Amino acid sequence: MPKDGGIGASTVRREDVRFLTGTGQYCDDMNMFGQTSAVFARSTVANGVIKSIDTSAAEAMPGVLAVFTGEDFVEVGGNPAGWLINSRDGEPMKEPKRPVLAHGKVRHVGDAYAAVIAETIEQAKDAVEAIEADIEELPALVNMKDALAADHYVHDEIGTNQCFDWGWIEDNRAATDAAIKGAHHVTTLELVNNRLVPNAMEPRCSMAQYNRANDEYVLHTTSQNPHLTRLLISAFVLGIPENKLTVIAPDVGGGFGSKIYHYGEEALVLAAAKKIGRPVKWTADRTEAFLTDAHGRDHVTKIELAMDKDGNFLAFRTETMANVGAYLSNFSTATPTFLHGTLMAGNYTVPNVYVNVKAVFTNTAPVDAYRGAGRPEATFSLERVIDKAAREIGMDPIELRRKNFIKPDQYPFASAAGLEYDSGNYDALMDQMEKVADVAGFEARRKASEKKGKLRGFGVNAYIEACGIAPSNLVGVLGSRVGLYDAATVRVNATGNLSVMVGAHSHGQGHETAFPQVVAEMLGIDPQSIDIVHGDTSKIPFGMGTYGSRSLAVCGSAVVRATEKIINKAKKIAAHMLEASDGDIELKDGVFSVAGTDKSVTFGEVALKAYIPHEFPLEDIEPGLEETAFYDPANFTYPSGAYCCEVEVDPETGKVTVESMTAVDDFGNVINPMIVTGQVHGGLGQGIGQALLENTTYDENGQLLSASYMDYVMPRADDLPFYTVDHSQGNACTHNPLGVKGCGEAGAIGSPPTVVNAVIDALQSGGKSVTHIDMPMTPHRVWSAMQNA
Amino acid sequence: MYAFDIERPATVAEAVAALSNEDAQALGGGQTLIPTLKQRLASPEKLVSLTGVAEMKGISSAGGVLTIGGGTTHDDVAADGSYKALSELAANIGDPAVRSRGTIGGSIANNDPSACYPAAALGSGATIVTNEREIAADDYFVGMFETALDEGEIITAVKFPIPEKANYQKFVQPASRFALVGVFVAKTADGVRVAVTGASNEGVHRWTAAEEALSKDFSAGALDGLTVSADDLIADLHGSAEYRAHLVAVMTKRAVAAAS
Amino acid sequence: MTKVTMTINGKSVSGEVEGRTLLSSFLREDLHLTGTHIGCDTSQCGACVVHVDGKPVKSCTMFAAEADGADVATIEGQANADGSLNVIQAAFQEHHGLQCGFCTPGMVMSAAALLKDNHKPSEAEVREYLEGNICRCTGYHNIVKAIMAASGQDVSAIAAE
């Protein structure tokens, strides 16, 4: 390992220094010469017909430079859905146009129908108030069931509120039905996977510049994937040629999915910058973030688990309604389908799985992937119904899971939901969890809680998830409209330091530290001599960005491939310098040597030779030392884990406190354990938030009641415990060169059912016959459940 | 925010003069008013900042009465400690940064139905002192966001008679950290006062049935069987009226048990 | 416009502000001290916490005019004189108490305010003190740990790599 930490070292993060000293450069921290401000006029009704918009008064206001309405964007394209889903009857999903600015109708509170560009933000706000919009309010479609039954539509032109009716796997439907019909025991659970707002702490911000001299645009924007944003703007929305548009995602203050997507504000500031010939900046306030960032989850589900008399799983059958909101966000159709249905076999040898998902348009903000994206919904349904089943048949919940686990000798394992799991050992994870969480000591802790007047519960969960969605060939067949590879360029500079340009984007994940650890390990050099470049389409190769716990598994693999190419070429150069054959050159600790001799040259000497190629075999080797690789994985990676937690419930108030939370995960090989642990911590915080605190509430008129931190319950430090995180039980991924699995979402996937299972356990220990409480399990909900039990 | 001017008077007299303009509005610590201005829900022409008025700051104690200047921050009340229940209440308002700026006068003038200080003032039987008069807490809190203050009238101080025992129990609304239900209980030689915040559409109010029971027997057990009607209690996404009614009883018992 | 003068990170600065100019806007837009961040409109996220006359304040909920004459400290002035990270900043790095970094300036400023008054805060005291600082990335574990470590307490028993 290099002196400052290669693979496996908990190297502290180099990016921290700028964030800790206030010198990070987030989008809103930058101002351009001549910059103007954009402010949007947003609908205050959930559903309405735009009868007229009079902007003349606004245009005459001080400082106003331009006013746009939906009319200005009729000729440009819509913001597309990235994944085509076909319904069970073979019909393609409904894809109504998502315009830059609403035109004809507004479809959710916050839907932008006009925008003002002014010298200052306050002038723009003043002018927005002067826009006279005659919008006739229509009844709002908020609840999915009502929307499916309604005879009026979010999008009139499609004549339905159902986007698609998807079956997975349709050919397994009859066998699953039959297995359930003939089963010894069937456990049924109806549940809601609550709608969440991602709430990255940095609100979205987009700033556009237009250079008339060469017809070029630069967009600084809060994005997890600048190339994808550029592609969507270029190929679908504005038609700006890709070679004329640079998209830069600088320091980005968290994403959690919400900054994957292209949003209309990005297109608006670009169009406005060209029209007025000056830079245009828009920064969301938190209310706009609540109203317009893509939300997450929002499934209403019925799941059935069929078992034989011994508790062997025979079938899972799931019916889900998934809310897609008012418009299709870029991956909103993939999330409830291929990222959800394919995981519905869990960690189990169950032979029959069938999932039906109906996606529903409503007059609410668009819903898309949020940390976990489909897999939390799958895990929650499975692990809640299994827990309920264990109670119904009187079997210990850990034992019931173990009984049905896929065993280590069964890999690769073809799941009944269509995936091929490459590696894992779920019993070993459960063993480790029982050990580090001292599960054996629970009863004593329960008694201690009871002495204080509290009910204590223990909850357990086993999850598997799928990260780094791939390969492109397969996802293409399944409806994806993009490829899911990533890319890296390793540039060795003449003086021996390296710039590594990557397609993944780091907005908290620590790539600037972890990726150099990989390269340093391979080259045997100081990681401090390696810098990561990301986020700027003019500097980096075309990559698909960061989401779905893909960065290390996919982009990291591209880094490995590019570095391998560097090593191969460097060996040729070294062989020439040492007058030896390339096959005899060995690389160790940054030194190339001829095997069995003391002849050697350093990595730095080879680099210099590559750029000052005097006495260079130009006929065999090109000068320079720079290589690019694109990596398209053979399969997903399949992290898995065993989680448990203990809660206390105050029986007088219904308040739940999480007393302990243990996460034992199989992430395969780990590059930087400190960063991986931090990723799990963050996921746990969000997962506990979903289970106990967070909810997105629209009233019957489609008004968002939880539209600020005064009502949307963000987890705070005093809501959460210290966690116990363990990833000692890794089984290397078999198909990527690092043997790594995704770790970014695991905590958010594994924790919600763990917490709910623990609360149910606590209430039952108190003699209450409560079998389910929907998330978030607020004090009010827990108290109400206890009153009714 | 709409544009406005800020004046920073140094004395109460200057502040009163500045507020005589009908489009002027007093600015205390600003922890409620500034977010409101950001939403463009208010459009004063002039804000009169009271933070520079030295005579409205500070805490003094005489004859069993604690007098707190209207411009005294939550932080300073929390640090004082001479009226323990009040200091503990102040130490749990908002968060540390809010407590550095927010003032007792601002809170009581605003009379948010979920704020903590109104419960302390009403529960303690405090007297609200303004630039013009003294108002008993029982007469001061009129309803949700409504008080007996006239236009331009400034709370210069609040006088708290220090009770024999008192305690405040807050069950937080988990997002805003205001009280979902808060109950202030004070036992004095004249009897017991119980003030409830967070629960009612009428704002802070006294729970007289509990006061009567506790005046006879100051113990949590004295409240057994006493319930609060859910009629006219607040129902929102954080709790139903019934839940709030239940919490009023629970928090009152806890306050009695913890009173010291 | 009103002229204001204040001391920021030890240096005297002056500027012309409107009545409605927030202290956070003055810092970010006029003085280009963009380490102070804006994450909400309701005075709750705490990304904008600075110190005014030694006390933690949400700079988005105070007018610049009200800071006239005040002594203001921001994240940009926290490092040691030689530019190295101060003890709190170093503990945040050592214990991975930040990820995206957006809430971090406010967290560091709140931590500094806490440790000034409470030299050895317990876990519960740290968590309670951070009530007004929201982080979406870390689940708070490493923030709490870093602050306890910065106070000189042995945090080796608190689980993490």
Side-chain angles (χ1 to χ4, degrees), chain A residues 143-216:
Chain A
N143 176 297
M144 286 190 277
K145 210 169 163 186
D146 296 344
L148 287 177
D151 58 1
H152 62 110
Y153 310 110
V154 177
H155 296 274
D156 303 309
E157 67 274 23
I158 60 174
T160 174
N161 290 316
Q162 181 173 287
C163 177
F164 57 75
D165 174 3
W166 180 78
W168 187 257
I169 297 172
E170 198 59 25
D171 289 347
N172 295 350
R173 182 189 179 106
T176 304
D177 289 350
I180 287 172
K181 206 169 191 180
H184 176 79
H185 186 92
V186 177
T187 298
T188 304
L189 181 61
E190 294 187 28
L191 56 88
V192 172
N193 207 293
N194 43 324
R195 179 189 274 240
L196 305 173
V197 179
N199 270 308
M201 292 317 299
E202 178 203 25
R204 286 190 292 121
C205 175
S206 300
M207 175 169 49
Q209 295 163 272
Y210 175 71
N211 180 346
R212 204 171 293 283
N214 45 13
D215 194 29
E216 286 180 355

Side-chain angles (χ1 to χ4, degrees), chain C residues 7 26 38-39 53 56 64 83 88 93 108 116:
Chain C
T7 303
F26 182 61
I38 305 303
D53 294 331
I88 295 170
Q93 183 180 36
V108 169
K116 199 168 61 154

Side-chain angles (χ1 to χ4, degrees), chain A residues 16-24, chain C residues 35 75-77 79 83-85 89 105:
Chain A
D16 289 356
V17 176
R18 66 178 187 270
F19 299 141
L20 284 162
T21 53
T23 50
Chain C
I75 188 67
E76 287 88 350
S84 61
L85 299 181
Q89 292 168 318

Side-chain angles (χ1 to χ4, degrees), chain A residues 26-28 198-206 221-230 232 247 249-263 266 282-284 286 289 292-295 329-331 368-371 505-509 544-547, chain C residues 38-39 100 102 136-137:
Chain A
Y26 300 87
C27 223
D28 193 46
N199 270 308
M201 292 317 299
E202 178 203 25
R204 286 190 292 121
C205 175
S206 300
T221 192
T222 46
S223 175
Q224 300 176 216
N225 31 241
H227 268 114
L228 188 60
T229 297
R230 190 183 70 171
L232 290 165
V247 176
D251 285 332
V252 172
F256 313 109
S258 66
K259 293 171 183 169
I260 298 172
Y261 325 113
H262 166 55
Y263 292 88
E266 292 170 323
W282 165 77
T283 306
R286 183 55 61 184
T292 66
D293 286 1
H295 293 178
S329 177
N330 300 138
F331 292 103
D368 205 325
Y370 163 64
R371 198 172 198 163
H505 188 274
S506 188
H507 37 278
Q509 296 86 348
M544 296 305 294
T546 291
Y547 42 83
Chain C
I38 305 303
C100 82
F102 194 81
R136 193 54 152 172
C137 292

Side-chain angles (χ1 to χ4, degrees), chain A residues 491-516:
Chain A
R491 175 179 299 155
V492 181
N493 298 313
T495 52
N497 50 42
L498 276 71
S499 303
V500 180
M501 282 64 77
V502 295
H505 188 274
S506 188
H507 37 278
Q509 296 86 348
H511 299 171
E512 293 173 35
T513 299
F515 284 5

Side-chain angles (χ1 to χ4, degrees), chain A residues 753-773:
Chain A
T754 314
V755 176
V756 178
N757 291 344
V759 173
I760 300 300
D761 183 59
L763 297 183
Q764 294 203 355
S765 81
K768 298 291 183 183
S769 58
V770 178
T771 58
H772 182 70
I773 300 173

